[in-house]
Amino acid sequence: MNDDLQTRIQAALANPQNLGELADADAVGTVGNSDCGEMLRMWVKFKQQDGKRVIDRATFQSFGCETAIAVASLATELIRGKTAEEALALKTEELAGELGALPPMKIHCAQLVEGALRSALAPAAVSPKPLAESKPIPPATAPTLLDSFAQPKAGGVKITFLEP
Ligand code: FES
């Protein structure tokens, strides 16, 4: 990895945005990469704006590497104010934002973020529910990643493993 990219990643990590569980999220997606063992979960909350259902806030937790955390930090800022369809239309390299082009060995880190976003947003994009029908995810079905690992048989969490 070149020094410029490492510097940009460190800058993003120095002040990570949108880190942590979003207790009243409308959607949640969790993905894992079985090759490197990293996991990332993303929560999304919608709001009505100008007659559209747009992303009000997105947060994440990760056991991912520094690159995945940096991309998730930037991507959760980038998708604010976008509809689910607009967010889903973003390409992997767009989610990496100001990090710029990633080296081949780090592209899957951004794909982890993209996968979590798709996992969270795909149902909303296909059948958007009016906000009044949106239900907060109770803590029991939206445990933290640490909870998931501590109680792997507690169930209720769908983890999508990305294709190698
Ligand atoms: Fe696997 Fe970054 S090394 S997500």
Side-chain angles (χ1 to χ4, degrees), residues 33 36 38 64-65 67-68 106 108-109 112:
N33 183 308
C36 67
E38 310 288 15
C65 66
T67 305
K106 287 292 177 184
H108 81 275
C109 310
L112 195 71

mmCIF file of all heavy atoms in Angstrom, residues 33 36 38 64-65 67-68 106 108-109 112, ligand 1:
data_model
loop_
_atom_site.group_PDB
_atom_site.id
_atom_site.type_symbol
_atom_site.label_atom_id
_atom_site.label_comp_id
_atom_site.label_asym_id
_atom_site.label_seq_id
_atom_site.Cartn_x
_atom_site.Cartn_y
_atom_site.Cartn_z
ATOM 1 N N ASN A 33 -16.429 -11.891 5.493
ATOM 2 C CA ASN A 33 -15.537 -12.401 4.450
ATOM 3 C C ASN A 33 -14.842 -13.618 5.026
ATOM 4 O O ASN A 33 -14.040 -13.505 5.960
ATOM 5 C CB ASN A 33 -14.524 -11.319 4.040
ATOM 6 C CG ASN A 33 -13.630 -11.787 2.908
ATOM 7 O OD1 ASN A 33 -13.025 -12.849 2.982
ATOM 8 N ND2 ASN A 33 -13.558 -11.000 1.860
ATOM 9 N N CYS A 36 -10.702 -13.595 4.994
ATOM 10 C CA CYS A 36 -9.892 -12.863 5.976
ATOM 11 C C CYS A 36 -10.543 -12.839 7.352
ATOM 12 O O CYS A 36 -9.929 -12.403 8.318
ATOM 13 C CB CYS A 36 -9.625 -11.437 5.500
ATOM 14 S SG CYS A 36 -11.110 -10.406 5.421
ATOM 15 N N GLU A 38 -13.037 -11.093 8.404
ATOM 16 C CA GLU A 38 -13.559 -9.800 8.838
ATOM 17 C C GLU A 38 -15.082 -9.791 8.747
ATOM 18 O O GLU A 38 -15.673 -10.471 7.904
ATOM 19 C CB GLU A 38 -12.999 -8.672 7.957
ATOM 20 C CG GLU A 38 -11.504 -8.676 7.785
ATOM 21 C CD GLU A 38 -10.734 -8.262 9.035
ATOM 22 O OE1 GLU A 38 -11.320 -8.234 10.127
ATOM 23 O OE2 GLU A 38 -9.546 -7.963 8.908
ATOM 24 N N GLY A 64 -13.459 -5.469 11.010
ATOM 25 C CA GLY A 64 -12.680 -5.385 9.787
ATOM 26 C C GLY A 64 -11.322 -4.738 10.014
ATOM 27 O O GLY A 64 -11.026 -4.229 11.090
ATOM 28 N N CYS A 65 -10.547 -4.762 8.980
ATOM 29 C CA CYS A 65 -9.236 -4.136 9.015
ATOM 30 C C CYS A 65 -9.402 -2.611 8.971
ATOM 31 O O CYS A 65 -10.512 -2.090 8.827
ATOM 32 C CB CYS A 65 -8.426 -4.604 7.822
ATOM 33 S SG CYS A 65 -9.139 -4.022 6.283
ATOM 34 N N THR A 67 -8.699 -0.558 6.629
ATOM 35 C CA THR A 67 -9.258 -0.077 5.368
ATOM 36 C C THR A 67 -10.775 -0.189 5.373
ATOM 37 O O THR A 67 -11.481 0.744 4.965
ATOM 38 C CB THR A 67 -8.674 -0.863 4.176
ATOM 39 O OG1 THR A 67 -7.250 -0.780 4.227
ATOM 40 C CG2 THR A 67 -9.180 -0.313 2.852
ATOM 41 N N ALA A 68 -11.290 -1.308 5.848
ATOM 42 C CA ALA A 68 -12.745 -1.495 5.888
ATOM 43 C C ALA A 68 -13.390 -0.453 6.805
ATOM 44 O O ALA A 68 -14.450 0.101 6.482
ATOM 45 C CB ALA A 68 -13.084 -2.905 6.358
ATOM 46 N N LYS A 106 -6.777 -4.764 -1.372
ATOM 47 C CA LYS A 106 -7.648 -4.066 -0.422
ATOM 48 C C LYS A 106 -9.046 -3.786 -0.974
ATOM 49 O O LYS A 106 -9.888 -3.229 -0.275
ATOM 50 C CB LYS A 106 -6.997 -2.733 0.001
ATOM 51 C CG LYS A 106 -5.824 -2.917 0.937
ATOM 52 C CD LYS A 106 -6.297 -3.441 2.271
ATOM 53 C CE LYS A 106 -5.188 -3.721 3.253
ATOM 54 N NZ LYS A 106 -5.668 -4.327 4.501
ATOM 55 N N HIS A 108 -11.352 -5.881 -1.578
ATOM 56 C CA HIS A 108 -12.383 -6.654 -0.870
ATOM 57 C C HIS A 108 -12.792 -5.977 0.438
ATOM 58 O O HIS A 108 -13.888 -6.227 0.946
ATOM 59 C CB HIS A 108 -11.909 -8.093 -0.620
ATOM 60 C CG HIS A 108 -11.012 -8.252 0.564
ATOM 61 N ND1 HIS A 108 -9.657 -8.040 0.509
ATOM 62 C CD2 HIS A 108 -11.296 -8.560 1.843
ATOM 63 C CE1 HIS A 108 -9.147 -8.233 1.713
ATOM 64 N NE2 HIS A 108 -10.111 -8.550 2.543
ATOM 65 N N CYS A 109 -11.934 -5.117 0.986
ATOM 66 C CA CYS A 109 -12.285 -4.395 2.219
ATOM 67 C C CYS A 109 -13.448 -3.440 1.933
ATOM 68 O O CYS A 109 -14.383 -3.333 2.727
ATOM 69 C CB CYS A 109 -11.082 -3.612 2.739
ATOM 70 S SG CYS A 109 -9.565 -4.577 2.859
ATOM 71 N N LEU A 112 -16.611 -5.352 1.420
ATOM 72 C CA LEU A 112 -17.263 -5.730 2.678
ATOM 73 C C LEU A 112 -18.272 -4.654 3.068
ATOM 74 O O LEU A 112 -19.402 -4.956 3.480
ATOM 75 C CB LEU A 112 -16.209 -5.901 3.772
ATOM 76 C CG LEU A 112 -16.637 -6.617 5.048
ATOM 77 C CD1 LEU A 112 -16.844 -8.101 4.801
ATOM 78 C CD2 LEU A 112 -15.601 -6.429 6.151
HETATM 79 FE FE1 FES B 1 -10.319 -8.377 4.812
HETATM 80 FE FE2 FES B 1 -9.740 -5.737 4.966
HETATM 81 S S1 FES B 1 -8.348 -7.445 5.025
HETATM 82 S S2 FES B 1 -11.686 -6.679 5.067
#
